[in-house]
Structures are given as structure tokens and as C-alpha cells.
Amino acid sequence: MDSNELQKIEKTAKNEVSGAKNLDELNDLRIKFLGRERGALTLVLRNLKNLPQEERKIIGKNANHLKILTEELFEKRGEELKKTEFDSILKKEWLDVTRPGAKIERGSLHPITLVRCEVEKIFSSMGFGVVEGPEVETEWYNFDALNIPKDHPARDLWDTFWLKPAQTGADGTRKVAENFLRNSASSLRSSALLLRTHTSPVQIRYMQSHNPPIRIIAPGRVYRYEATDAGHDIQFHHVEGLMIDKHISIANFKAVILELFKKLFGKEVKIRLRPSYFPFVEPGFEVDLSCIVCNAKGCPVCKKTGWSEIMGAGMVHPKVFEAVGYIPRNQQGFAFGIGLDRITMMKYKIPDIRLFHSGDLRFLKQF
Ligand code: PHE
């Protein structure tokens, strides 16, 4: 060991440390020169004890000096490398905090839902409760209790989806089928199942469990086994209405309905009642609304008549009161069934009822 060797170490250390390209490389070099086990300088210092005393003094002093110098070199290069690495991260991960965020697409309510909510709000403000009933109904609720017995020609007014009871299948299904058959045999009330063709069965259900006075609406889906076109679909929506008390008349009905349309369409509208036949009301009528789309001037929506047919209505038939166990002469009332799809089409000027279930986003996004 001599001073030359120290100088050599110093030179290579200076060269290599200043040439280190990153912190990993620098760390390897630290081990090479200062490592506790085999670092070049460490070895020099460890071997001092084998040198003659004079030499040990000089070399020892120089070696310690070099150690401090080398540590400083590492320190300095380390700082430099840390800074360049940080700078390159800043460059790579640059973020423009002033940039507007990506827009999150939101869904919207279906137009039928919008109008249904509005109709519910308007009726609530007139003191009507909102009730619901099942979409799968029995024959008794959908027809018999509404004064439409089996083989009554009026049944043809409602083309019906009948549901088959399951005859075979896993144990569970068989049990359902057996129960079903037992019930239909033991009861005079037919429990054959169908998809309700109107919301009128909800009137029956409600009157069975409540006494007059009654003021309710019952919105919901109804089904008919029909050919579809721009004005008809196999699935659509009704809002049933029922108001019963001691002295309810058609004048009350007209007032309620005019109020509904005035609020819904935001302007005065005209209605006209045409005599019509529904077995569960007497007298029965159909209600036409002056066409909102063309202001009653005549357009494709109203088929150039200026009027659009939007609901059936009438005074509740005594037979219906009998079916729910009321004494017919003790009360009277009106009932109506509004085509929700029709008035939605009017409100938003929608030309084809089938758009409602098309799932077409270009249509739905407009609401
Ligand atoms: N339920 C009838 C229909 O299906 C509408 C209606 C409801 C008529 C209530 C009179 C009274 O068209």
C-alpha cells in the first residue's frame, strides 16, 4: 500500500461517481468504494494496522481524508441525480389542473314516468291517493267483478293475454299448478290468470278493502293481445281514477278532469264527452281532448279531427258495488281510465307509441 494507490482510488472514484447515471448506479458505486465488507477504501483503512508505524500515520491520514472527500462526492452526485429524476417525473406526470373534467353521462327519466309523476302530483293536490295493483290478475278481478261475466260479448273489447298454469316441471312448479287448480275448482271466483287488460281491477281491490268516501288514482302497465301500429302497442299505461261518496256526479268528474289537463298542459283545454259503453259504468262515455299538438286545427296526431280520444269513463255501475259488497244505493261515484301513453304523446308531440319501448337512446336522451 502506498500513496499512489490512494491517488488511483481517488481518481477512479471521482470519475465514476460523476459519471453515475442514476441513483441505482450510484448506490453500486458506494458499495464498491465505501462498502463495509469489500469497499476499496474500507479495505485500505482496515489494512492500516499491518503497516509500519510511520507509513501508517501518513497513509492513515490521507486515507481518512479521502474517505471524507469520497463521501462528499457521493452526497453531491446523489443530490444532482435526485433532482434530475424528480424533474423527469414532473415532466412525465404533468397535469393540467385547469382542464375541464370529463363529462359524466347521466340517464334521464322515461317520458311516461315524467308524465305519470306529474299526473300523480296533480291528483294528490286534489286529495286523491295513489294506489297500485298487480299486473298479473285473475279473471274475476279483471272481468267478472267489473260486470263482464264469461261469454259476455263485451269481453271482445279486451284482447287478453291468458297465462297458462304450469302443468309439469320441478316439484315447486307442480305445487303451484296444483294449488292453482284446487283454488279455481273450490271457488266460484275464477282465478284463471291473465295480464290485466286495464287498471280497473284495482278499483275492485281498493273497494274490497275500503269504505266510501274514496278518492284514488291507480297508475300502471296494462297489456292487450293486439296488432301494433303507431297508435297501439301490446303494453301501455293507464291511470285509473275512482271517486265515490254520497252525491258525486258527472259535473264533479268534468271539474276534476279539466283541472288535470289545465295543469298538465299549462293551458285551458276543451274536452267533450261522447256516450260509450263499458259494462262497469252507467252511463259510460269516452272523453276527447281538443288536440294540443295543432290547437284543434287538425293534424296527423288527431287524424285531422281536432280531437283526440284519451280516456273511458262513467258512473260506477251498481253491479260493481254489489261485487265488492257495498249496498248499491248507499253511494255513487265516477270512474275513469286515462291512456297515459296518449297524453304523453300529446304533451311531447311523439308520433309513434312504439318509440316508448324501442330502447332507442336518441329518443330517450331528449327527455
Ligand atoms: N277500463 C276501461 C278501458 O280499458 C276504461 C274505463 C275505466 C272506462 C273506468 C270507464 C271507467 O278502456
Side-chain angles (χ1 to χ4, degrees):
M1 162 69 58
D2 55 24
S3 313
N4 269 346
E5 202 169 329
L6 275 183
Q7 273 165 15
K8 232 163 71 194
I9 294 177
E10 183 177 345
K11 209 169 145 201
T12 40
K14 269 186 181 157
N15 265 341
E16 292 184 10
V17 168
S18 62
K21 283 194 209 60
N22 54 46
L23 289 170
D24 282 345
E25 258 185 60
L26 191 69
N27 212 29
D28 290 346
L29 289 174
R30 192 189 301 276
I31 292 167
K32 178 173 168 185
F33 291 105
L34 299 171
R36 249 188 251 170
E37 297 292 323
R38 314 205 48 80
L41 259 173
T42 317
L43 290 180
V44 171
L45 288 165
R46 198 180 293 155
N47 285 333
L48 280 179
K49 59 180 183 301
N50 304 326
L51 296 178
Q53 203 184 355
E54 273 310 298
E55 230 174 302
R56 195 193 308 162
K57 252 193 182 165
I58 299 169
I59 303 246
K61 201 172 139 200
N62 288 347
N64 272 318
H65 184 69
L66 179 57
K67 190 178 172 206
I68 292 167
L69 191 94
T70 317
E71 274 166 354
E72 280 171 6
L73 278 182
F74 275 108
E75 180 89 358
K76 205 174 129 231
R77 186 64 188 148
E79 290 300 320
E80 283 168 10
L81 287 174
K82 256 189 228 157
K83 189 167 176 322
T84 31
E85 278 186 21
F86 186 63
D87 284 347
S88 88
I89 287 174
L90 279 187
K91 226 180 245 164
K92 257 197 302 208
E93 299 182 2
W94 178 82
L95 184 73
D96 180 0
V97 291
T98 63
R99 203 175 140 166
K103 243 196 180 160
I104 296 170
E105 275 216 36
R106 294 207 191 176
S108 56
L109 290 177
H110 193 279
I112 300 250
T113 309
L114 290 174
V115 174
R116 175 181 163 160
C117 289
E118 217 167 312
V119 168
E120 286 180 7
K121 215 165 79 190
I122 297 168
F123 273 110
S124 300
S125 76
M126 291 190 273
F128 282 71
V130 180
V131 304
E132 291 194 352
E135 287 176 26
V136 172
E137 261 301 1
T138 66
E139 184 179 5
W140 191 80
Y141 281 102
N142 195 81
F143 289 127
D144 303 57
L146 288 160
N147 193 28
I148 324 168
K150 261 194 195 51
D151 304 324
H152 192 292
R155 281 214 181 178
D156 292 347
L157 293 172
W158 296 276
D159 302 288
T160 309
F161 284 109
W162 292 92
L163 301 176
K164 271 194 216 149
Q167 299 289 359
T168 52
D171 270 4
T173 350
R174 194 169 307 132
K175 218 176 235 150
V176 172
E178 280 163 6
N179 275 342
F180 171 81
L181 291 170
R182 203 175 315 119
N183 285 343
S184 8
S186 69
S187 154
L188 287 174
R189 294 181 173 182
S190 164
S191 52
L193 295 178
L194 47 81
L195 294 180
R196 68 178 178 193
T197 58
H198 48 183
T199 40
S200 300
V202 188
Q203 290 182 32
I204 304 296
R205 289 181 178 275
Y206 194 82
M207 284 191 277
Q208 277 182 328
S209 53
H210 297 80
N211 284 323
I214 287 173
R215 237 190 298 182
I216 53 150
I217 58 163
R221 280 198 188 89
V222 300
Y223 303 84
R224 291 201 194 158
Y225 184 41
E226 282 179 344
T228 62
D229 60 31
H232 299 86
D233 205 346
I234 55 166
Q235 179 192 319
F236 49 103
H237 303 78
H238 269 182
V239 179
E240 193 76 13
L242 182 67
M243 181 166 182
I244 295 177
D245 208 334
K246 288 217 156 19
H247 309 288
I248 298 290
S249 71
I250 295 175
N252 298 122
F253 167 73
K254 279 181 82 172
V256 165
I257 288 308
L258 280 171
E259 175 73 5
L260 165 71
F261 289 134
K262 197 170 100 185
K263 286 205 171 141
L264 190 65
F265 294 112
K267 56 181 176 189
E268 294 287 343
V269 294
K270 279 203 205 109
I271 59 170
R272 88 180 169 188
L273 309 190
R274 275 182 296 110
S276 184
Y277 173 66
F278 299 97
F280 35 94
V281 287
E282 180 57 39
F285 33 85
E286 218 128 8
V287 181
D288 295 341
L289 177 67
S290 57
C291 185
I292 305 296
V293 180
C294 62
N295 273 328
K297 289 195 183 68
C299 71
V301 173
C302 60
K303 298 196 188 99
K304 300 214 169 19
T305 61
W307 295 96
S308 191
E309 181 191 315
I310 38 147
M311 70 167 102
M315 300 302 290
V316 180
H317 198 290
K319 286 261 182 150
V320 174
F321 287 142
E322 257 170 41
V324 297
Y326 287 1
I327 297 165
R329 74 183 121 74
N330 283 3
Q331 67 283 302
Q332 56 191 27
F334 63 76
F336 58 83
I338 308 175
L340 192 53
D341 306 65
R342 288 261 168 92
I343 56 174
T344 307
M345 288 166 81
M346 280 232 170
K347 187 166 164 91
Y348 295 117
K349 304 186 170 46
I350 296 166
D352 192 321
I353 193 172
R354 291 167 295 189
L355 280 166
F356 287 137
H357 291 124
S358 63
D360 189 336
L361 290 179
R362 291 168 305 177
F363 169 69
L364 294 171
K365 276 184 178 165
Q366 299 174 51
F367 300 94

Short mmCIF file of all heavy atoms in Angstrom, two decimals, residues 38-84:
data_model
loop_
_atom_site.label_atom_id
_atom_site.label_comp_id
_atom_site.label_asym_id
_atom_site.label_seq_id
_atom_site.Cartn_x
_atom_site.Cartn_y
_atom_site.Cartn_z
N ARG A 38 -16.32 -5.00 1.43
CA ARG A 38 -15.25 -5.06 0.45
C ARG A 38 -15.01 -3.72 -0.25
O ARG A 38 -14.38 -3.67 -1.30
CB ARG A 38 -15.56 -6.12 -0.62
CG ARG A 38 -16.05 -7.45 -0.07
CD ARG A 38 -15.76 -8.61 -1.00
NE ARG A 38 -14.39 -8.60 -1.49
CZ ARG A 38 -13.32 -9.05 -0.80
NH1 ARG A 38 -13.48 -9.55 0.42
NH2 ARG A 38 -12.11 -9.02 -1.32
N GLY A 39 -15.47 -2.63 0.32
CA GLY A 39 -15.24 -1.33 -0.29
C GLY A 39 -13.73 -1.04 -0.37
O GLY A 39 -12.99 -1.35 0.57
N ALA A 40 -13.28 -0.47 -1.52
CA ALA A 40 -11.86 -0.25 -1.74
C ALA A 40 -11.22 0.55 -0.60
O ALA A 40 -10.16 0.19 -0.07
CB ALA A 40 -11.66 0.45 -3.08
N LEU A 41 -11.90 1.63 -0.21
CA LEU A 41 -11.33 2.47 0.86
C LEU A 41 -11.40 1.79 2.21
O LEU A 41 -10.48 1.89 3.02
CB LEU A 41 -12.08 3.79 0.92
CG LEU A 41 -11.39 4.98 0.26
CD1 LEU A 41 -12.31 6.18 0.24
CD2 LEU A 41 -10.09 5.30 1.00
N THR A 42 -12.47 1.05 2.41
CA THR A 42 -12.62 0.32 3.67
C THR A 42 -11.45 -0.65 3.86
O THR A 42 -10.88 -0.76 4.94
CB THR A 42 -13.95 -0.46 3.67
OG1 THR A 42 -14.97 0.36 3.13
CG2 THR A 42 -14.33 -0.91 5.05
N LEU A 43 -11.12 -1.31 2.73
CA LEU A 43 -10.02 -2.28 2.80
C LEU A 43 -8.71 -1.57 3.16
O LEU A 43 -7.93 -2.05 3.99
CB LEU A 43 -9.88 -3.03 1.48
CG LEU A 43 -11.03 -4.01 1.18
CD1 LEU A 43 -10.79 -4.71 -0.16
CD2 LEU A 43 -11.18 -5.04 2.29
N VAL A 44 -8.50 -0.41 2.56
CA VAL A 44 -7.27 0.36 2.86
C VAL A 44 -7.21 0.66 4.35
O VAL A 44 -6.20 0.39 5.02
CB VAL A 44 -7.24 1.67 2.04
CG1 VAL A 44 -6.08 2.56 2.50
CG2 VAL A 44 -7.12 1.37 0.55
N LEU A 45 -8.33 1.16 4.87
CA LEU A 45 -8.33 1.55 6.28
C LEU A 45 -8.16 0.34 7.19
O LEU A 45 -7.48 0.39 8.20
CB LEU A 45 -9.64 2.28 6.62
CG LEU A 45 -9.72 3.70 6.02
CD1 LEU A 45 -11.15 4.23 6.07
CD2 LEU A 45 -8.78 4.66 6.74
N ARG A 46 -8.76 -0.79 6.75
CA ARG A 46 -8.68 -1.99 7.60
C ARG A 46 -7.24 -2.53 7.62
O ARG A 46 -6.79 -3.08 8.60
CB ARG A 46 -9.63 -3.05 7.07
CG ARG A 46 -9.92 -4.11 8.10
CD ARG A 46 -10.86 -5.14 7.55
NE ARG A 46 -12.19 -4.61 7.31
CZ ARG A 46 -13.05 -5.11 6.42
NH1 ARG A 46 -12.68 -6.17 5.68
NH2 ARG A 46 -14.22 -4.58 6.25
N ASN A 47 -6.51 -2.33 6.50
CA ASN A 47 -5.15 -2.86 6.42
C ASN A 47 -4.10 -1.96 7.05
O ASN A 47 -2.92 -2.32 7.10
CB ASN A 47 -4.78 -3.12 4.95
CG ASN A 47 -5.50 -4.36 4.46
OD1 ASN A 47 -5.82 -5.25 5.26
ND2 ASN A 47 -5.77 -4.42 3.15
N LEU A 48 -4.50 -0.79 7.51
CA LEU A 48 -3.52 0.16 8.09
C LEU A 48 -2.68 -0.49 9.18
O LEU A 48 -1.48 -0.28 9.29
CB LEU A 48 -4.26 1.37 8.69
CG LEU A 48 -4.71 2.45 7.69
CD1 LEU A 48 -5.45 3.55 8.43
CD2 LEU A 48 -3.52 3.02 6.95
N LYS A 49 -3.36 -1.34 9.94
CA LYS A 49 -2.68 -1.90 11.11
C LYS A 49 -1.48 -2.77 10.74
O LYS A 49 -0.59 -3.01 11.54
CB LYS A 49 -3.65 -2.68 11.99
CG LYS A 49 -4.35 -3.82 11.33
CD LYS A 49 -5.27 -4.49 12.35
CE LYS A 49 -5.97 -5.71 11.80
NZ LYS A 49 -6.81 -5.50 10.63
N ASN A 50 -1.43 -3.22 9.46
CA ASN A 50 -0.29 -4.04 9.03
C ASN A 50 0.90 -3.20 8.56
O ASN A 50 1.94 -3.74 8.20
CB ASN A 50 -0.71 -4.96 7.88
CG ASN A 50 -1.90 -5.80 8.28
OD1 ASN A 50 -2.02 -6.18 9.45
ND2 ASN A 50 -2.79 -6.07 7.33
N LEU A 51 0.73 -1.86 8.56
CA LEU A 51 1.82 -1.03 8.01
C LEU A 51 2.78 -0.61 9.12
O LEU A 51 2.38 -0.54 10.30
CB LEU A 51 1.23 0.23 7.38
CG LEU A 51 0.32 0.04 6.15
CD1 LEU A 51 -0.22 1.38 5.67
CD2 LEU A 51 1.10 -0.62 5.02
N PRO A 52 4.02 -0.33 8.73
CA PRO A 52 4.96 0.22 9.72
C PRO A 52 4.40 1.56 10.22
O PRO A 52 3.66 2.23 9.50
CB PRO A 52 6.24 0.47 8.89
CG PRO A 52 5.98 -0.04 7.53
CD PRO A 52 4.60 -0.49 7.40
N GLN A 53 4.76 1.88 11.45
CA GLN A 53 4.11 3.00 12.14
C GLN A 53 4.14 4.31 11.37
O GLN A 53 3.12 5.00 11.23
CB GLN A 53 4.76 3.20 13.50
CG GLN A 53 3.79 3.91 14.41
CD GLN A 53 4.43 4.21 15.75
OE1 GLN A 53 5.56 3.81 16.03
NE2 GLN A 53 3.70 4.91 16.59
N GLU A 54 5.34 4.66 10.82
CA GLU A 54 5.48 5.93 10.10
C GLU A 54 4.50 6.03 8.93
O GLU A 54 3.77 6.99 8.78
CB GLU A 54 6.92 6.08 9.57
CG GLU A 54 7.88 6.69 10.58
CD GLU A 54 7.34 7.98 11.20
OE1 GLU A 54 7.12 8.96 10.44
OE2 GLU A 54 7.08 7.99 12.43
N GLU A 55 4.57 4.95 8.12
CA GLU A 55 3.71 4.90 6.94
C GLU A 55 2.24 4.94 7.35
O GLU A 55 1.42 5.60 6.73
CB GLU A 55 3.97 3.58 6.19
CG GLU A 55 4.23 3.78 4.71
CD GLU A 55 4.61 2.47 4.03
OE1 GLU A 55 5.62 1.85 4.45
OE2 GLU A 55 3.85 2.05 3.15
N ARG A 56 1.94 4.19 8.43
CA ARG A 56 0.55 4.12 8.88
C ARG A 56 0.02 5.53 9.17
O ARG A 56 -1.10 5.87 8.81
CB ARG A 56 0.48 3.28 10.15
CG ARG A 56 -0.94 2.85 10.48
CD ARG A 56 -1.08 2.30 11.86
NE ARG A 56 -0.12 1.25 12.16
CZ ARG A 56 0.19 0.86 13.42
NH1 ARG A 56 -0.40 1.43 14.45
NH2 ARG A 56 1.09 -0.08 13.62
N LYS A 57 0.86 6.37 9.80
CA LYS A 57 0.44 7.73 10.16
C LYS A 57 0.04 8.52 8.91
O LYS A 57 -1.05 9.08 8.83
CB LYS A 57 1.62 8.45 10.84
CG LYS A 57 1.40 8.63 12.30
CD LYS A 57 2.45 9.62 12.80
CE LYS A 57 2.33 9.81 14.30
NZ LYS A 57 3.57 10.48 14.80
N ILE A 58 0.96 8.49 7.91
CA ILE A 58 0.71 9.32 6.71
C ILE A 58 -0.45 8.76 5.90
O ILE A 58 -1.40 9.47 5.57
CB ILE A 58 2.00 9.36 5.83
CG1 ILE A 58 3.11 9.99 6.65
CG2 ILE A 58 1.73 10.17 4.55
CD1 ILE A 58 4.49 9.87 6.03
N ILE A 59 -0.32 7.43 5.61
CA ILE A 59 -1.37 6.83 4.77
C ILE A 59 -2.72 6.92 5.47
O ILE A 59 -3.75 7.22 4.86
CB ILE A 59 -1.03 5.36 4.44
CG1 ILE A 59 0.33 5.28 3.77
CG2 ILE A 59 -2.16 4.73 3.62
CD1 ILE A 59 0.39 4.83 2.36
N GLY A 60 -2.67 6.68 6.78
CA GLY A 60 -3.93 6.75 7.56
C GLY A 60 -4.59 8.11 7.42
O GLY A 60 -5.78 8.22 7.17
N LYS A 61 -3.75 9.13 7.57
CA LYS A 61 -4.30 10.49 7.48
C LYS A 61 -4.92 10.74 6.09
O LYS A 61 -6.07 11.17 5.96
CB LYS A 61 -3.16 11.49 7.72
CG LYS A 61 -3.66 12.85 8.15
CD LYS A 61 -2.46 13.70 8.54
CE LYS A 61 -2.71 15.11 7.99
NZ LYS A 61 -1.45 15.84 7.90
N ASN A 62 -4.11 10.37 5.06
CA ASN A 62 -4.60 10.59 3.68
C ASN A 62 -5.86 9.78 3.39
O ASN A 62 -6.79 10.27 2.73
CB ASN A 62 -3.52 10.20 2.66
CG ASN A 62 -2.39 11.23 2.67
OD1 ASN A 62 -2.57 12.31 3.25
ND2 ASN A 62 -1.25 10.88 2.10
N ALA A 63 -5.82 8.52 3.89
CA ALA A 63 -6.97 7.65 3.59
C ALA A 63 -8.24 8.19 4.25
O ALA A 63 -9.31 8.23 3.62
CB ALA A 63 -6.69 6.23 4.07
N ASN A 64 -8.14 8.65 5.51
CA ASN A 64 -9.31 9.22 6.18
C ASN A 64 -9.79 10.47 5.45
O ASN A 64 -11.01 10.69 5.29
CB ASN A 64 -8.98 9.57 7.63
CG ASN A 64 -9.23 8.36 8.51
OD1 ASN A 64 -10.24 7.67 8.35
ND2 ASN A 64 -8.31 8.09 9.43
N HIS A 65 -8.81 11.25 4.99
CA HIS A 65 -9.16 12.46 4.26
C HIS A 65 -9.93 12.10 2.99
O HIS A 65 -10.97 12.67 2.67
CB HIS A 65 -7.86 13.20 3.91
CG HIS A 65 -8.10 14.51 3.24
ND1 HIS A 65 -8.67 15.58 3.90
CD2 HIS A 65 -7.87 14.91 1.96
CE1 HIS A 65 -8.78 16.58 3.06
NE2 HIS A 65 -8.29 16.21 1.86
N LEU A 66 -9.41 11.07 2.29
CA LEU A 66 -10.04 10.63 1.04
C LEU A 66 -11.45 10.09 1.30
O LEU A 66 -12.38 10.30 0.51
CB LEU A 66 -9.17 9.55 0.36
CG LEU A 66 -9.73 9.00 -0.95
CD1 LEU A 66 -9.96 10.12 -1.98
CD2 LEU A 66 -8.78 7.96 -1.55
N LYS A 67 -11.60 9.42 2.46
CA LYS A 67 -12.92 8.87 2.77
C LYS A 67 -13.95 10.01 2.89
O LYS A 67 -15.05 9.94 2.32
CB LYS A 67 -12.86 8.08 4.09
CG LYS A 67 -14.13 7.30 4.32
CD LYS A 67 -14.07 6.47 5.58
CE LYS A 67 -15.45 5.88 5.83
NZ LYS A 67 -15.64 5.60 7.23
N ILE A 68 -13.54 11.06 3.62
CA ILE A 68 -14.45 12.20 3.77
C ILE A 68 -14.77 12.82 2.41
O ILE A 68 -15.93 13.08 2.06
CB ILE A 68 -13.83 13.27 4.71
CG1 ILE A 68 -13.78 12.68 6.12
CG2 ILE A 68 -14.64 14.56 4.71
CD1 ILE A 68 -12.91 13.47 7.08
N LEU A 69 -13.69 12.94 1.60
CA LEU A 69 -13.86 13.52 0.27
C LEU A 69 -14.84 12.69 -0.58
O LEU A 69 -15.76 13.21 -1.22
CB LEU A 69 -12.49 13.57 -0.42
CG LEU A 69 -12.44 14.38 -1.70
CD1 LEU A 69 -12.00 15.81 -1.36
CD2 LEU A 69 -11.46 13.77 -2.68
N THR A 70 -14.62 11.37 -0.52
CA THR A 70 -15.47 10.50 -1.33
C THR A 70 -16.93 10.58 -0.86
O THR A 70 -17.86 10.62 -1.68
CB THR A 70 -14.99 9.03 -1.21
OG1 THR A 70 -13.57 9.03 -1.28
CG2 THR A 70 -15.56 8.17 -2.31
N GLU A 71 -17.10 10.60 0.47
CA GLU A 71 -18.48 10.70 0.97
C GLU A 71 -19.15 11.97 0.47
O GLU A 71 -20.33 11.97 0.09
CB GLU A 71 -18.50 10.64 2.50
CG GLU A 71 -18.52 9.20 2.98
CD GLU A 71 -18.20 9.04 4.47
OE1 GLU A 71 -17.84 10.05 5.12
OE2 GLU A 71 -18.30 7.90 4.96
N GLU A 72 -18.34 13.05 0.43
CA GLU A 72 -18.91 14.31 -0.08
C GLU A 72 -19.29 14.18 -1.55
O GLU A 72 -20.32 14.68 -1.99
CB GLU A 72 -17.91 15.45 0.10
CG GLU A 72 -17.90 15.99 1.51
CD GLU A 72 -16.75 16.97 1.75
OE1 GLU A 72 -16.04 17.31 0.76
OE2 GLU A 72 -16.59 17.38 2.91
N LEU A 73 -18.39 13.46 -2.30
CA LEU A 73 -18.67 13.26 -3.73
C LEU A 73 -20.02 12.56 -3.92
O LEU A 73 -20.86 12.95 -4.73
CB LEU A 73 -17.60 12.36 -4.36
CG LEU A 73 -16.30 13.00 -4.79
CD1 LEU A 73 -15.39 11.94 -5.44
CD2 LEU A 73 -16.56 14.12 -5.79
N PHE A 74 -20.21 11.49 -3.13
CA PHE A 74 -21.45 10.73 -3.23
C PHE A 74 -22.67 11.61 -2.89
O PHE A 74 -23.67 11.60 -3.57
CB PHE A 74 -21.43 9.51 -2.31
CG PHE A 74 -20.76 8.32 -2.95
CD1 PHE A 74 -19.51 7.89 -2.55
CD2 PHE A 74 -21.41 7.64 -3.98
CE1 PHE A 74 -18.90 6.79 -3.15
CE2 PHE A 74 -20.80 6.54 -4.58
CZ PHE A 74 -19.53 6.12 -4.17
N GLU A 75 -22.47 12.36 -1.80
CA GLU A 75 -23.54 13.25 -1.35
C GLU A 75 -23.96 14.19 -2.48
O GLU A 75 -25.14 14.32 -2.82
CB GLU A 75 -23.01 14.06 -0.15
CG GLU A 75 -24.00 15.04 0.42
CD GLU A 75 -24.85 14.38 1.51
OE1 GLU A 75 -24.66 13.16 1.76
OE2 GLU A 75 -25.68 15.08 2.07
N LYS A 76 -22.94 14.81 -3.11
CA LYS A 76 -23.21 15.82 -4.13
C LYS A 76 -23.90 15.20 -5.35
O LYS A 76 -24.92 15.67 -5.83
CB LYS A 76 -21.88 16.48 -4.55
CG LYS A 76 -22.09 17.86 -5.11
CD LYS A 76 -20.76 18.55 -5.37
CE LYS A 76 -20.77 19.07 -6.80
NZ LYS A 76 -19.61 18.68 -7.57
N ARG A 77 -23.31 14.07 -5.80
CA ARG A 77 -23.87 13.44 -7.01
C ARG A 77 -25.30 12.92 -6.73
O ARG A 77 -26.17 13.00 -7.58
CB ARG A 77 -22.95 12.27 -7.44
CG ARG A 77 -23.35 11.63 -8.75
CD ARG A 77 -23.22 12.61 -9.92
NE ARG A 77 -23.76 12.08 -11.15
CZ ARG A 77 -24.33 12.82 -12.10
NH1 ARG A 77 -24.43 14.13 -11.93
NH2 ARG A 77 -24.77 12.27 -13.21
N GLY A 78 -25.46 12.42 -5.48
CA GLY A 78 -26.79 11.94 -5.08
C GLY A 78 -27.83 13.04 -5.23
O GLY A 78 -28.90 12.84 -5.79
N GLU A 79 -27.49 14.24 -4.72
CA GLU A 79 -28.42 15.37 -4.81
C GLU A 79 -28.76 15.68 -6.27
O GLU A 79 -29.91 15.87 -6.63
CB GLU A 79 -27.82 16.63 -4.16
CG GLU A 79 -27.72 16.56 -2.64
CD GLU A 79 -29.06 16.38 -1.98
OE1 GLU A 79 -30.04 16.99 -2.45
OE2 GLU A 79 -29.16 15.57 -1.01
N GLU A 80 -27.68 15.71 -7.09
CA GLU A 80 -27.90 16.03 -8.51
C GLU A 80 -28.85 15.02 -9.16
O GLU A 80 -29.80 15.38 -9.84
CB GLU A 80 -26.57 15.99 -9.28
CG GLU A 80 -25.71 17.22 -9.06
CD GLU A 80 -24.28 17.01 -9.61
OE1 GLU A 80 -24.05 15.99 -10.31
OE2 GLU A 80 -23.42 17.84 -9.30
N LEU A 81 -28.56 13.73 -8.89
CA LEU A 81 -29.37 12.70 -9.54
C LEU A 81 -30.82 12.75 -9.06
O LEU A 81 -31.75 12.59 -9.84
CB LEU A 81 -28.78 11.32 -9.29
CG LEU A 81 -27.50 11.02 -10.08
CD1 LEU A 81 -26.90 9.69 -9.65
CD2 LEU A 81 -27.78 11.02 -11.58
N LYS A 82 -31.00 13.00 -7.75
CA LYS A 82 -32.37 13.08 -7.23
C LYS A 82 -33.13 14.19 -7.96
O LYS A 82 -34.29 14.05 -8.32
CB LYS A 82 -32.33 13.39 -5.73
CG LYS A 82 -32.63 12.16 -4.88
CD LYS A 82 -32.79 12.55 -3.44
CE LYS A 82 -31.97 11.62 -2.57
NZ LYS A 82 -31.61 12.18 -1.29
N LYS A 83 -32.44 15.29 -8.16
CA LYS A 83 -33.12 16.41 -8.80
C LYS A 83 -33.50 16.08 -10.24
O LYS A 83 -34.63 16.35 -10.67
CB LYS A 83 -32.21 17.66 -8.77
CG LYS A 83 -32.94 18.90 -9.22
CD LYS A 83 -32.16 20.15 -8.91
CE LYS A 83 -32.83 21.40 -9.44
NZ LYS A 83 -33.47 21.29 -10.71
N THR A 84 -32.54 15.46 -11.00
CA THR A 84 -32.91 15.14 -12.39
C THR A 84 -34.05 14.13 -12.43
O THR A 84 -34.94 14.23 -13.27
CB THR A 84 -31.72 14.56 -13.21
OG1 THR A 84 -30.89 13.85 -12.31
CG2 THR A 84 -30.95 15.62 -13.93
#
